[in-house]
Amino acid sequence: MKDYVIIGNKAVTGGKISLNDLPGSAGRMDVLCRCVTASLFISFGMRRDVNVHLILKGEPGPEKIVRFCGATMKSLNPDERSSGSMIQKALLVDAKETETQSTPGVFVRTGNLSNLLEEFKNKNRMLIYLKEDGEDIFKTGFKLEDPVFILGDNQGVFEDDENLIKNSGAVSISVGPISLLSSQCITIIHNQMDRNEIQSAQNQSEQNE
Amino acid sequence: MKDYVIIGNKAVTGGKISLNDLPGSAGRMDVLCRCVTASLFISFGMRRDVNVHLILKGEPGPEKIVRFCGATMKSLNPDERSSGSMIQKALLVDAKETETQSTPGVFVRTGNLSNLLEEFKNKNRMLIYLKEDGEDIFKTGFKLEDPVFILGDNQGVFEDDENLIKNSGAVSISVGPISLLSSQCITIIHNQMDRNEIQSAQNQSEQNE
């Protein structure tokens, strides 16, 4: 299982968002939509072993978490408007502390980064913080097992959230020499994991011969 | 200079396209919009050394080429609707065989893949065809100098176009073990080139010490 957590610093938490203005009135929801596409889509298919957790921190509050579940996702297309439409429907749900399914494969609840980190820690998941000064994912020796990647949006990660992430024991990694869009970082992470998995399978196969 | 050529097999060539339905009525224009974002955007900036050539092959014809020029681009945002809006304006221009600028940094003309390949060959540009069975970009030994990358859209590249590309002398490369969205391929190519450039600069710096 692979999980991506994306912090939407201004992403709105209520009301009917306009699909014609995801960047503006919805608080850069377009950034989160691109992250959903990067996390879940491959050519002619979907990564069924991936969850995407969008943390919406914008007005009017309280904070919400919208989860896109690759395993059960239906009717999602790679365009921003498609995931935006699912977020729109999720925001119309009267969110509780436990998840409500708003459309097939999309779940919403009230909650914040602290809640999510606690839950992942309780499951002994490997927490990885995407940060420009982190170790290059191409060079890291450690094996990525059931990783949870935590990324900021276009505004990055503010100090309070960064402290939470660091206190959770997350390791910092980067994806290269240039600072990229959050969705681009996800694409590169996936590509590296795809390569690692193929390599592991080949090594295993050779050992069995 | 780096150029990306993306073949939009069904991308419409005329009329006023609907920004609310880029995937449907505009002939999967969303795929091309994501390619524009992947090609030109980094975090807080734009790749000024990149051109993106969208080949529109859909109805009603004739085929058109819309070029996004990183060097002179203005007012473009990373969301699909932003680049879609610029394509929309380009399609309202009465296109000729020579380029007309439709908005700052966006140019339109009638033309096809054959024209583009010929022009690049005349400039001695290195032509690279993105193909699943090509050599892995991570493993290729050749240096990418002024490369022109040619990609298909969600439908891939049909036989006629593939023959043109192969006859142009393009080398085939792939970006990993899994078939990805065109825009994701571009992100991985850029990342690899960013790494190569940093490495070259470091090598040069060490030689000069």
Side-chain angles (χ1 to χ4, degrees):
Chain A
M1 183 59 68
K2 296 152 192 166
D3 287 70
Y4 290 93
V5 176
I6 302 110
I7 301 168
N9 290 294
K10 297 284 183 192
V12 298
T13 44
K16 185 165 165 56
I17 64 175
S18 166
L19 299 182
N20 297 344
D21 186 23
L22 291 169
S25 59
R28 291 309 306 270
M29 199 69 85
D30 64 310
V31 176
L32 304 188
C33 293
R34 281 193 292 282
C35 287
V36 169
T37 297
S39 303
L40 291 177
F41 280 93
I42 56 174
S43 185
F44 305 110
M46 189 166 283
R47 295 182 186 270
R48 296 294 179 185
D49 61 342
V50 171
N51 275 295
V52 188
H53 311 259
L54 308 177
I55 302 181
L56 314 184
K57 299 188 66 168
E59 297 295 332
E63 290 183 33
K64 288 181 182 169
I65 302 170
V66 177
R67 177 167 70 94
F68 282 69
C69 170
T72 59
M73 181 59 58
K74 283 184 183 163
S75 308
L76 180 68
N77 291 314
D79 60 301
E80 291 165 17
R81 205 176 165 91
S82 178
S83 45
S85 163
M86 292 195 177
I87 296 168
Q88 184 190 56
K89 291 187 177 83
L91 289 182
L92 295 176
V93 168
D94 181 19
K96 317 283 186 196
E97 281 183 23
T98 54
E99 284 187 332
T100 304
Q101 184 168 243
S102 45
T103 49
V106 183
F107 302 83
V108 60
R109 59 168 161 153
T110 57
N112 55 33
L113 179 63
S114 177
N115 302 135
L116 261 183
L117 291 175
E118 193 64 30
E119 291 159 18
F120 284 125
K121 275 173 68 181
N122 289 340
K123 291 175 187 169
N124 291 316
R125 297 286 297 273
M126 174 185 258
L127 299 175
I128 298 167
Y129 178 30
L130 260 284
K131 186 135 176 68
E132 285 145 23
D133 61 1
E135 192 180 3
D136 190 336
I137 190 172
F138 282 33
K139 292 177 185 159
T140 51
F142 57 81
K143 203 173 167 189
L144 297 168
E145 280 184 350
D146 282 339
V148 179
F149 298 95
I150 306 150
L151 298 86
D153 63 2
N154 58 304
Q155 295 195 304
V157 177
F158 289 107
E159 195 176 346
D160 284 1
D161 283 339
E162 183 155 90
N163 287 336
L164 282 174
I165 296 167
K166 287 185 172 169
N167 291 336
S168 75
V171 291
S172 295
I173 64 158
S174 69
V175 295
I178 288 184
S179 182
L180 301 175
L181 304 185
S182 309
S183 51
Q184 294 170 336
C185 295
I186 292 171
T187 295
I188 294 164
I189 293 168
H190 264 317
N191 185 247
Q192 188 59 27
M193 288 195 291
D194 292 340
R195 290 169 179 277
N196 290 349
E197 284 167 18
I198 291 285
Q199 191 62 51
S200 292
Q202 283 173 349
N203 292 348
Q204 194 63 46
S205 167
E206 284 169 13
Q207 281 176 13
N208 293 342
E209 272 173 8
Chain B
M1 184 61 67
K2 298 152 191 167
D3 286 70
Y4 289 93
V5 176
I6 303 110
I7 301 169
N9 291 293
K10 297 284 182 193
V12 297
T13 43
K16 185 165 164 59
I17 64 175
S18 167
L19 299 183
N20 297 344
D21 186 23
L22 292 170
S25 59
R28 292 310 305 271
M29 200 69 83
D30 64 310
V31 175
L32 304 188
C33 293
R34 280 193 293 282
C35 287
V36 169
T37 297
S39 303
L40 292 178
F41 280 95
I42 55 174
S43 185
F44 304 111
M46 190 166 283
R47 294 182 187 271
R48 297 294 179 184
D49 61 342
V50 172
N51 275 296
V52 188
H53 311 259
L54 308 177
I55 302 182
L56 315 183
K57 299 189 65 167
E59 298 296 330
E63 291 184 30
K64 288 182 183 169
I65 302 170
V66 177
R67 177 167 70 95
F68 282 69
C69 170
T72 58
M73 181 59 58
K74 284 185 184 161
S75 308
L76 180 67
N77 290 313
D79 61 301
E80 290 165 17
R81 205 177 166 89
S82 178
S83 45
S85 164
M86 292 194 178
I87 295 168
Q88 184 189 55
K89 291 187 178 84
L91 289 182
L92 296 177
V93 168
D94 181 20
K96 317 284 185 196
E97 282 183 22
T98 54
E99 284 188 331
T100 304
Q101 183 167 243
S102 45
T103 49
V106 182
F107 302 82
V108 62
R109 59 168 163 154
T110 57
N112 56 32
L113 179 63
S114 177
N115 302 134
L116 261 184
L117 292 174
E118 194 63 29
E119 290 160 18
F120 284 126
K121 274 173 69 180
N122 289 340
K123 292 177 186 165
N124 291 317
R125 297 286 298 270
M126 173 185 259
L127 299 175
I128 299 168
Y129 178 30
L130 261 283
K131 184 132 179 73
E132 284 146 22
D133 61 2
E135 193 181 3
D136 190 336
I137 190 172
F138 282 34
K139 292 176 185 160
T140 51
F142 57 80
K143 203 173 168 190
L144 297 168
E145 280 184 351
D146 282 338
V148 178
F149 298 96
I150 306 150
L151 298 85
D153 63 1
N154 58 303
Q155 295 195 304
V157 177
F158 288 108
E159 195 176 347
D160 284 0
D161 282 339
E162 183 154 90
N163 288 338
L164 283 176
I165 296 168
K166 287 184 173 170
N167 291 336
S168 74
V171 292
S172 296
I173 64 159
S174 69
V175 295
I178 288 184
S179 181
L180 301 175
L181 305 185
S182 309
S183 51
Q184 294 171 336
C185 295
I186 292 171
T187 295
I188 294 164
I189 293 167
H190 264 317
N191 185 246
Q192 189 60 26
M193 287 194 291
D194 292 341
R195 291 169 179 277
N196 291 350
E197 285 167 18
I198 291 285
Q199 191 62 50
S200 292
Q202 283 173 350
N203 293 347
Q204 194 62 47
S205 165
E206 284 169 14
Q207 281 176 12
N208 293 343
E209 273 174 7

